[in-house]
Amino acid sequence: MVSVITIFVFIFGLIIGSFLNCVIYRLEKGKSLWGRSYCPHCKHTLIWTDLVPVFSFLFLKGRCRYCHKKISIQYPMVEILTALIFLLILNFQPLNLKFSILNLLFLLYIVSSLIVIFIYDLKHYLIPDKILFPAIIIAFIYNFLNFNYLLAAFIAFSFFLFIYLISKGQWMGFGDVKLSILLGLILGFPNILVGLFLSFFFGAIIGIGLIYLNKKGLKSEIPFAPFLIMGTFVAMFFGDRIIQCYFGFVF
């Protein structure tokens, strides 16, 4: 049976996802986060019935009420993705004496930041420092006294900086190097190893798939941050189990 808390968290995730869409769009346009929402095509100010997460998109059949231009599928996708990840946080780390409200707020903020970076880099091949740097600072302060997280950040940063330097920026951008610090501060050691392995695994599988479908060539540029974030999400929720299964299989 679905609990009231589960429904509340899912709806809250949809609302936050709608806000993240606003953040992504206004970052693209260099606009302030304050102010009324409007259609990106006709600039008409939206009313509250246009802004209900997912349901407005379905009700309007994916088109603006005023100019009838198509609404990007990104909007409901981000809203649903955010809601599902919020539910995963609640499911894997339920509120108890060991899991404080502060920890919950930290994870929700970090996850939200990663979703913005994921979509922004996917669209623009660029990691926004306005989102990345505050997340790094908050994660560093939050885990300042935990050596495992600081070690993970150092390992991830050193590894990516090495790749960046030997390839002279051809294999990955410096934004990925900066992002690796945040991922280390999120995952800690040894989960960062799981996250990095999965990131390259996802990147290889999807890259090969795109080449096979003639969507990309061998020399085509592919944003790597989405793969890093995908690997991080899996390691956040399943990292310990993956490590246990690995050692159980090997030994």
Side-chain angles (χ1 to χ4, degrees):
M1 182 176 179
V2 179
S3 68
V4 174
I5 294 178
T6 299
I7 296 174
F8 173 79
V9 170
F10 185 78
I11 294 175
F12 179 67
L14 291 178
I15 295 171
I16 296 299
S18 180
F19 172 72
L20 298 183
N21 276 319
C22 177
V23 171
I24 293 166
Y25 176 77
R26 298 198 181 196
L27 276 174
E28 293 172 352
K29 303 301 179 182
K31 296 183 178 295
S32 169
L33 294 180
W34 307 109
R36 296 284 299 276
S37 295
Y38 53 86
C39 172
H41 302 292
C42 65
K43 310 302 179 184
H44 194 289
T45 300
L46 304 179
I47 59 177
W48 73 269
T49 52
D50 301 322
L51 299 172
V52 180
V54 179
F55 297 103
S56 289
F57 181 87
L58 297 175
F59 179 76
L60 296 170
K61 298 180 180 179
R63 293 184 179 274
C64 172
R65 182 193 301 272
Y66 310 100
C67 68
H68 306 295
K69 293 287 183 65
K70 285 187 177 181
I71 301 171
S72 173
I73 192 67
Q74 169 197 314
Y75 291 93
M77 294 284 287
V78 168
E79 291 162 356
I80 294 172
L81 174 65
T82 304
L84 292 176
I85 294 177
F86 279 20
L87 284 180
L88 281 173
I89 292 174
L90 182 68
N91 184 60
F92 280 83
Q93 303 191 65
L95 290 175
N96 53 45
L97 293 177
K98 294 182 179 180
F99 186 67
S100 65
I101 294 296
L102 180 61
N103 196 25
L104 175 63
L105 293 175
F106 170 72
L107 287 176
L108 295 182
Y109 166 74
I110 288 298
V111 161
S112 299
S113 298
L114 291 179
I115 291 173
V116 172
I117 293 171
F118 182 104
I119 300 298
Y120 201 89
D121 192 52
L122 193 63
K123 294 177 68 176
H124 304 290
Y125 293 41
L126 182 68
I127 298 175
D129 288 340
K130 289 183 178 180
I131 302 297
L132 178 60
F133 285 163
I136 290 175
I137 292 170
I138 290 174
F140 178 78
I141 294 172
Y142 192 80
N143 290 314
F144 178 71
L145 298 178
N146 194 320
F147 177 74
N148 284 343
Y149 290 88
L150 300 181
L151 175 63
F154 176 77
I155 290 173
F157 173 74
S158 300
F159 176 67
F160 279 90
L161 181 62
F162 175 74
I163 294 177
Y164 177 80
L165 291 176
I166 65 170
S167 69
K168 297 181 180 179
Q170 296 298 311
W171 297 346
M172 65 176 53
F174 195 70
D176 298 319
V177 179
K178 293 182 289 186
L179 178 61
S180 69
I181 300 173
L182 176 61
L183 304 186
L185 292 171
I186 294 171
L187 294 177
F189 186 85
N191 276 354
I192 186 61
L193 302 181
V194 177
L196 294 182
F197 171 79
L198 290 174
S199 299
F200 283 96
F201 176 76
F202 292 146
I205 294 298
I206 295 176
I208 292 171
L210 291 173
I211 293 173
Y212 178 77
L213 296 172
N214 294 320
K215 300 293 185 180
K216 296 286 184 179
L218 289 175
K219 295 184 178 181
S220 297
E221 184 179 0
I222 298 176
F224 194 56
F227 302 121
L228 285 171
I229 293 171
M230 287 169 59
T232 297
F233 281 150
V234 175
M236 279 178 65
F237 301 114
F238 305 102
D240 293 338
R241 297 183 185 182
I242 292 173
I243 291 173
Q244 291 175 5
C245 290
Y246 172 77
F247 281 107
F249 177 77
V250 172
F251 299 104

